[in-house]
Amino acid sequence: MLTLLHALQDESADHWRVVAQAWGVEYPASSRDPVSELIVAVLNPERIAEVYRALPPPLRQAVAALRAKGGKIPVAEFFHRFGEIRSMGPARRQREQPWRNPASVSEALWYSGWIGRAFIRAGSGAQEYVFLPGDLEALIPAGAESPASEWSLLSYQPGRQEQPMQAKFRSAQDACTILAYARNWPPPAHRGIRTPGAARALDLHLKEPDALPFLSCLLLEKGLLRGDPLQPEPDTARAFLERTVEESAAFLLKAWRDSGAWNDLAHVGVSSAEAAWPNDPVRARRNFLKAVRAVPRGEWCTIESAAAAIHRTDLEFQRPASEFDVWRLRDDSGEFLRGLDSWDRVEGALVRFYFSGPLAWLGAVETTPRGNPKAFRFTPQAAALWDEESESAAGVPARARIRPDGSLVVLPETAPLLRYQLARCADWLEPKGGAYVYRITPRALARAREQGVRAAHILPLLESLAGKVPAALAGALRRWEERGTEAAVRPGKILLPRNEEAARRIAALAERDRGTLVRLEGPVYVVARLGANRLRTRLIEEGFLLEEEDEG
């Protein structure tokens, strides 16, 4: 602990006299150890209470800010908020007597002995701090004001037409989608997560497409994806998928909080002129989260007021003051961003990105309006960022619905492991009303068979998702397992049986429903009056899963 002795011991006798005068005590000029006797006189609880209450409000606020930061604040940040201490030689100091007319809050506190300056080691280097002597702080009377007013953000009332972004558990749902996609269509590690020729399936099922590089980075860093091409790592991916969507969302929030691989600064319109980025993304993120922990939960606040509050209270949350002129950062135009004047274009931009990017994608905040966020409010999920307990979302297990054409409508809240397993053996279709839609098809079953998934595994999965499986679909699935694809439809609605039994059954179907299937030549038919879904349903009733051939 830095004490009043640390604050005074390297100063001159003239400084000690000024401090004694400020505290209203006799300066022991004839003592062998005047500074020690001065400290004993100052550290009197009644005197400290009296002097503290007499401090002007700006000085008390500066003391409160130091207490809120554990008793010390980097010199550059403290001076930025409370003014500088002018550098003076003995002659000028005697001539101007700055203690009588201090130019700043910092100067007033300095000449009254309330603060000291010291270099403190941090990591591999040392940084100069302004500190509040610990023995003096311990005697500040109870009830002294806290710096809560520093975090009084501007409130915001969303308009009736504004559509807020409410991600909820979308990060967990998208992580499940990415893992299933990588299992079906392993993407080259060097080309991003999208596999050439198969990206449409991924694009259909992502809830937050803008977050794809971000989530992919977290999944790679946590070991859920690995290899080249990328594949889910069996043990870690399964452990993740066995969580509820709520637990998975909390896992991803903590993964971002602790991520050294994802560099938020690289996504705010700033580039580094050096070979490597100079910032520590984990340090900046944790300092930011420590600051915003004071924000009221569930209340709409403007993003700009949060950036302004961090500018006041945590100026150096990313760049230490000694490095504001050292980091070689530049904006998109190539202009270098140096000095404290660049704070809003670097740190301010980073704060805005935290709210509109990772925090929003991960469901820790809601933002409004959608697309151009001006305000945010923390959700209960944000508690995971500070390892706090949050209320579990009560609800019944989500169920899927199997439609007669072999497609399944799966609610987003469905257990991730069940949806992941279904996505491995079904085609990915256009979502409906926020729900995922899949279809059991020969093409998807062939892909699943290559992964070791057979009909004996799929039927229990469908039962887990939807309860009872329609007998016709179960029969068609077993029949495909034994005989393969027996009917295909080509572009132009040309229906082609693949064997004699299929030709016989389709001929009987055409006879029963005259005009729906029109024979062209031999066993080949054109589908005249049936839509695609009805055709699939009819063939499933006949025991066949229809294969749909692509153009070319």
Side-chain angles (χ1 to χ4, degrees), residues 223-238:
L224 277 71
L225 287 172
R226 69 175 186 181
D228 190 3
L230 294 173
Q231 291 259 330
E233 200 289 322
D235 294 334
T236 56
R238 185 177 184 89

Side-chain angles (χ1 to χ4, degrees), residues 168-169 171-172 175-176 179 214-225 235-259 362 381-385 387-388 390:
K168 294 185 179 178
F169 305 122
S171 60
C176 174
L179 291 171
F214 169 71
L215 283 180
S216 302
C217 179
L218 297 186
L219 295 177
L220 281 162
E221 187 176 18
K222 300 303 288 187
L224 277 71
L225 287 172
D235 294 334
T236 56
R238 185 177 184 89
F240 174 80
L241 293 165
E242 286 176 340
R243 303 169 187 258
T244 65
V245 288
E246 184 180 24
E247 293 168 340
S248 298
F251 173 89
L252 292 168
L253 274 167
K254 294 178 181 180
W256 170 66
R257 179 193 67 188
D258 302 332
S259 174
L362 295 169
Q381 288 167 244
L385 290 167
D387 295 316
E388 299 172 354
S390 61

Side-chain angles (χ1 to χ4, degrees), residues 331-403:
D331 63 15
D332 291 339
S333 70
E335 179 185 348
F336 279 98
L337 304 171
R338 291 195 179 116
L340 286 173
D341 290 343
S342 69
W343 193 95
D344 188 65
R345 297 165 68 186
V346 179
E347 281 78 8
L350 183 58
V351 169
R352 297 179 194 104
F353 176 71
Y354 284 149
F355 284 115
S356 62
L359 287 175
W361 295 334
L362 295 169
V365 299
E366 297 173 2
T367 58
T368 192
R370 179 184 292 271
N372 183 28
K374 298 177 182 176
F376 72 95
R377 66 177 175 186
F378 279 111
T379 68
Q381 288 167 244
L385 290 167
W386 301 286
D387 295 316
E388 299 172 354
E389 292 293 330
S390 61
E391 294 183 9
S392 297
V396 296
R399 301 292 294 273
R401 179 167 60 90
I402 301 179
R403 299 193 290 201

Side-chain angles (χ1 to χ4, degrees), residues 116-314:
R117 294 170 66 170
F119 281 89
I120 301 173
R121 181 164 293 280
S124 59
Q127 187 174 355
E128 189 178 16
Y129 286 81
V130 170
F131 67 89
L132 176 66
D135 45 3
L136 193 158
E137 180 188 7
L139 298 177
I140 292 176
E145 67 261 34
S146 71
S149 59
E150 299 265 7
W151 266 100
S152 57
L153 304 188
L154 293 178
S155 61
Y156 186 85
Q157 183 62 45
R160 291 183 179 180
Q161 304 303 317
E162 288 186 19
Q163 294 294 321
M165 177 182 174
Q166 299 172 315
K168 294 185 179 178
F169 305 122
R170 288 184 172 187
S171 60
Q173 294 155 9
D174 280 353
C176 174
T177 295
I178 293 168
L179 291 171
Y181 178 81
R183 186 67 181 90
N184 285 338
W185 303 283
H190 62 284
R191 294 190 59 177
I193 202 68
R194 284 187 170 87
T195 303
R200 174 168 164 74
L202 181 63
D203 293 337
L204 281 174
H205 280 205
L206 283 176
K207 301 288 187 182
E208 296 294 340
D210 290 344
L212 176 60
F214 169 71
L215 283 180
S216 302
C217 179
L218 297 186
L219 295 177
L220 281 162
E221 187 176 18
K222 300 303 288 187
L224 277 71
L225 287 172
R226 69 175 186 181
D228 190 3
L230 294 173
Q231 291 259 330
E233 200 289 322
D235 294 334
T236 56
R238 185 177 184 89
F240 174 80
L241 293 165
E242 286 176 340
R243 303 169 187 258
T244 65
V245 288
E246 184 180 24
E247 293 168 340
S248 298
F251 173 89
L252 292 168
L253 274 167
K254 294 178 181 180
W256 170 66
R257 179 193 67 188
D258 302 332
S259 174
W262 174 262
N263 189 352
D264 305 283
L265 186 62
H267 301 271
V268 301
V270 171
S271 61
S272 173
E274 305 292 349
W277 284 91
N279 64 310
D280 179 348
V282 178
R283 175 187 181 271
R285 210 176 288 134
R286 290 186 173 178
N287 287 339
F288 164 79
L289 291 173
K290 183 179 179 181
V292 298
R293 191 172 186 172
V295 175
R297 310 288 171 86
E299 296 182 16
W300 286 108
C301 302
T302 67
I303 292 174
E304 286 304 317
S305 66
I310 290 176
H311 184 268
R312 290 194 306 270
T313 64
D314 294 271

